[in-house]
Amino acid sequence: MARQKQQAEDSNALSLKSLTKSSVWDVQENDIFRMLEAGLKDADVKENFRHYVDIIRCAFEIVEIPEATPVIKKAYTKQGYKVGELKMDEENKLTWALRKKPIMRVTDLTYENIRHISAAKLIEVLDRNFGGGWDSLSQSIQDIILSGFDISTTTLPKDRLHKKGGMYEKKVEDGYEVLEVAKGNWVEAIFAKLKPQQEKLRMKFNDEDERENEEEDEDADVEVKDDYKNHDEDDSMVEDPNDDDITEENYSTMMDLGSEDPDDEAAQLIEFVDE
């Protein structure tokens, strides 16, 4: 009940521009028509209309009705569609039949919709498609399910599965839904529980702080490799001059001769030049 209330609040807060391939699964046909009616008053939405249609198609079947007679509308309504008109401009109108895509088989599960179904719904889908247990699912389907649900399994003899105080009882008490798959005299139990939503904490910055934060994020993407384990090792990695390159003639040019009197040193230099 709380989940349905939250979904209703989220759908009212959504607009066509904020709709994503994931959040579109939280809204219903009436919400889509409401968003389209408001959004088509925006020139930017009209210009990128195809983009928003592609997002809606992730979760809804869309049928454009060229001749929207009462008989045709009624026929689509009987099939579970919601029929509505879209006013593109003063002269052009579209009639759409919308229907939420059903999640009936494991192949209907996607990374976008997996967190928008309950554990009970997942068990229903698995039960409709199962045969060989959890391992009979392809790795790609398992990965999708595990992205939204905590899954654990156990295989025990029929008479031991429901043993008091056992894993089955503890998992059910912890809120897990369970599917039992018969395997001869044994039973595989698949436990499923929706993973808690991890909310990202957001801080409010003024425009200048936000720009600085973005620049820091960009710098953070650059990996700086530190080849030095500590500062004490730095000196040991400096190459010493090659002793073979040092001669008697050039040795004095590489060292301070330490003359006490600068005038004496200058005089010696003049005498050397005269020679």
Side-chain angles (χ1 to χ4, degrees):
M1 188 69 178
R3 180 183 174 86
Q4 292 177 348
K5 183 179 179 181
Q6 182 63 42
Q7 288 179 347
E9 292 176 353
D10 292 343
S11 65
N12 290 330
L14 283 172
S15 67
L16 205 60
K17 285 188 173 182
S18 64
L19 205 61
T20 67
K21 292 181 179 180
S22 176
S23 64
V24 70
W25 285 95
D26 277 333
V27 301
Q28 303 303 320
E29 293 84 355
N30 286 333
D31 299 316
I32 295 296
F33 280 118
R34 174 182 57 80
M35 293 179 193
L36 287 167
E37 182 181 358
L40 286 172
K41 297 175 183 178
D42 188 328
D44 182 62
V45 170
K46 286 185 178 180
E47 184 177 347
N48 297 282
F49 185 65
R50 182 53 55 190
H51 165 71
Y52 298 110
V53 172
D54 289 340
I55 292 177
I56 296 171
R57 284 189 189 279
C58 291
F60 291 87
E61 296 173 0
I62 303 176
V63 179
E64 186 175 334
I65 306 175
E67 297 180 9
T69 64
V71 175
I72 294 177
K73 288 182 179 181
K74 187 176 181 180
Y76 277 106
T77 302
K78 284 184 177 181
Q79 297 178 53
Y81 286 86
K82 176 72 176 179
V83 180
E85 287 189 348
L86 308 177
K87 187 177 180 181
M88 304 301 293
D89 51 47
E90 293 298 329
E91 298 180 356
N92 298 312
K93 292 182 180 181
L94 296 178
T95 301
W96 272 12
L98 275 181
R99 183 173 66 181
K100 193 76 168 282
K101 287 182 178 179
I103 301 176
M104 304 295 292
R105 302 175 299 276
V106 291
T107 51
D108 294 328
L109 298 173
T110 66
Y111 283 107
E112 287 75 26
N113 67 25
I114 191 63
R115 293 198 60 86
H116 300 278
I117 63 174
S118 65
K121 176 63 176 179
L122 175 64
I123 292 299
E124 177 189 323
V125 172
L126 295 178
D127 189 28
R128 189 178 294 113
N129 292 271
F130 254 47
W134 175 255
D135 290 336
S136 69
L137 293 172
S138 67
Q139 186 62 52
S140 60
I141 295 297
Q142 288 185 14
D143 291 343
I144 290 173
I145 295 173
L146 290 172
S147 71
F149 290 86
D150 284 322
I151 300 291
S152 57
T153 68
T154 184
T155 303
L156 293 170
K158 289 181 180 180
D159 57 349
R160 290 182 53 193
L161 181 63
H162 295 274
K163 184 179 178 180
K164 187 172 179 60
M167 179 179 179
Y168 189 104
E169 184 179 281
K170 291 178 181 178
K171 286 289 187 182
V172 172
E173 289 177 354
D174 197 26
Y176 282 80
E177 296 288 339
V178 59
L179 174 65
E180 298 180 27
V181 181
K183 294 185 174 182
N185 293 325
W186 293 64
V187 176
E188 179 181 359
I190 298 98
F191 303 96
K193 184 179 180 180
L194 188 67
K195 288 182 178 178
Q197 184 73 43
Q198 295 181 348
E199 296 184 1
K200 294 182 179 179
L201 297 176
R202 297 180 63 88
M203 298 180 64
K204 292 184 179 180
F205 300 93
N206 57 36
D207 293 341
E208 183 176 350
D209 290 340
E210 191 169 289
R211 284 195 296 271
E212 291 177 357
N213 192 51
E214 290 176 355
E215 291 175 0
E216 290 176 0
D217 290 342
E218 290 178 0
D219 293 340
D221 292 337
V222 180
E223 180 181 359
V224 179
K225 185 176 180 181
D226 186 1
D227 290 327
Y228 303 106
K229 293 183 179 179
N230 56 59
H231 294 292
D232 294 337
E233 296 180 5
D234 291 356
D235 294 338
S236 64
M237 297 187 70
V238 178
E239 294 184 1
D240 293 329
N242 192 333
D243 292 340
D244 295 337
D245 295 336
I246 302 175
T247 64
E248 183 177 354
E249 289 77 9
N250 65 21
Y251 183 74
S252 62
T253 65
M254 300 178 64
M255 298 183 62
D256 181 5
L257 297 179
S259 174
E260 295 181 359
D261 190 345
D263 293 337
D264 291 343
E265 183 177 353
Q268 293 175 9
L269 180 60
I270 293 172
E271 291 176 0
F272 174 78
V273 172
D274 290 342
E275 293 175 0

